[in-house]
């Protein structure tokens, strides 16, 4: 790889890292061609980009970004590395967990999600259980709506009870 190609690759990786808040570092070495193809298909279905990168070029790209701290992930940049990038925070973890039912790879080296750093394969379950921003907003809205719906239904049923009482009393007095 020439210097110009390396510089271009670093620039591309820098742009990718700048435009996302979810980066997973994985080890997919040892997967045969069909398994790699199946992994790429699974990533595509979940809107996850996967890309095999050179560790030194990825580290240089990470160092160029000033507003994001990737320091804790530098130790994970050993051996073969593939980055997985997604808009949904838990999508890559779910792809890895689902794929690991059939194979022992990919192995999670580390993840960077909105300034939180997760290092090690043991964090995979926690990452796959993370809720996305949309899911959290939906949960908050559901929690806020629940008491309001209860009050409204009680007021509506109370109104029907009162009107029933008034009707009964008016019929009684006749």
């Amino acid at each position: 790889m020439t210097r110009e190609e390396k510089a271009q690759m670093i620039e591309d990786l820098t742009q990718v890292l700048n435009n996302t808040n979810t980066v997973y570092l994985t080890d997919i070495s040892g997967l045969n061609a069909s398994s790699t193809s199946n992994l790429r298909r699974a990533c595509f279905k979940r809107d996850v980009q996967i890309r095999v990168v050179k560790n030194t070029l990825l580290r240089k790209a990470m160092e160029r970004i000033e507003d994001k701290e990737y320091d804790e992930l530098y130790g994970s940049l050993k051996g073969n590395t593939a980055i997985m990038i997604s808009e949904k925070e838990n999508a890559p973890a779910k792809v890895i967990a689902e794929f690991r039912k059939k194979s022992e790879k990919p192995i999670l080296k580390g993840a960077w999600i909105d300034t939180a750093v997760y290092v090690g394969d043991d964090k995979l379950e926690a990452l796959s259980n993370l809720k996305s921003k949309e899911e959290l907003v939906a949960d908050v809205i559901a929690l806020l709506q629940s008491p309001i719906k209860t009050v409204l239904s009680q007021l509506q049923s109370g109104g029907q009870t009162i009107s029933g009482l008034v009707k009964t009393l008016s019929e009684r007095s006749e």
Side-chain angles (χ1 to χ4, degrees), residues 108-121:
L108 178 68
K109 292 176 158 188
W112 187 89
I113 301 171
D114 288 328
T115 69
V117 177
Y118 302 86
V119 177
D121 194 51

Side-chain angles (χ1 to χ4, degrees), residues 2-68:
T2 65
R3 282 187 180 182
E4 291 79 24
E5 291 172 333
K6 288 179 183 179
Q8 182 61 43
M9 180 68 81
I10 292 170
E11 186 62 36
D12 291 346
L13 287 171
T14 303
Q15 278 186 328
V16 167
L17 294 173
N18 265 329
N19 295 331
T20 188
N21 288 326
T22 305
V23 178
Y24 281 69
L25 304 178
T26 60
D27 178 8
I28 61 170
S29 65
L31 290 179
N32 59 26
S34 66
S35 294
T36 304
S37 180
N38 290 337
L39 177 62
R40 288 183 184 276
R41 261 189 230 106
C43 288
F44 181 76
K45 287 178 185 175
R46 296 249 182 149
D47 292 327
V48 176
Q49 297 175 12
I50 186 169
R51 187 176 186 175
V52 177
V53 296
K54 289 187 169 272
N55 292 326
T56 54
L57 300 181
L58 180 59
R59 182 176 177 142
K60 287 181 182 183
M62 288 176 164
E63 289 171 348
R64 282 186 176 186
I65 299 172
E66 296 174 7
D67 60 334
K68 297 178 183 178

Side-chain angles (χ1 to χ4, degrees), residues 31 35 42 49 73 76 79 100-101 127 138 141 147 163:
L31 290 179
S35 294
Q49 297 175 12
L73 290 177
S76 302
R100 294 258 296 265
K101 292 177 183 174
L127 288 168
I141 289 172
S163 67

Side-chain angles (χ1 to χ4, degrees), residues 147-167:
I148 294 170
K149 287 181 179 178
T150 304
V151 168
L152 286 175
S153 67
Q154 288 174 351
L155 287 174
Q156 288 174 345
S157 68
Q160 292 170 354
T161 306
I162 292 173
S163 67
L165 283 172
V166 169
K167 184 178 179 185

